Amino acid sequence: MTIKPLADRIVVKMVEAEETTKSGIILAGNAKEKPEIAEVIAVGPGGMVDGAEVVMELKVGDRVLMSKYAGSQVKVDGQEYTILRQSDVLATVE
């Protein structure tokens, strides 16, 4: 099954949290923070949203930084995804 977002929405998959710190310390499972970096899996077509033209600037494969609690979490075929509006993305990560 595939997810096709509508309007100005995107589908992202969270990037796995780091298991070690930069200094090499291994983190326990409960010490890891929820990742805020995600990879764009699908992008909606854009168009008119709330009376304004929205041009989609993100594309599939982009890595983005988003708010911790942005969007709606869904589970499809055993994989967890987040669906959110393009405007909920804070920045792209290069």
Side-chain angles (χ1 to χ4, degrees), residues 4-49:
K4 184 177 178 183
L6 303 175
D8 66 334
R9 290 181 173 81
I10 62 171
V11 178
V12 297
K13 183 176 179 183
M14 301 309 286
V15 175
E16 293 296 321
E18 294 292 325
E19 295 190 14
T20 59
T21 63
K22 290 181 182 180
S23 60
I25 298 172
I26 298 174
L27 298 173
N30 58 358
K32 296 176 198 170
E33 289 188 21
K34 180 180 176 187
E36 297 172 22
I37 298 176
E39 181 178 353
V40 177
I41 303 299
V43 178
M48 295 298 288
V49 177

Side-chain angles (χ1 to χ4, degrees), residues 54-69:
V54 175
V55 177
M56 299 305 285
E57 297 177 19
L58 298 172
K59 61 188 180 303
V60 174
D62 283 350
R63 291 172 61 98
V64 296
L65 181 65
M66 53 186 257
S67 301
K68 281 187 180 185
Y69 304 107

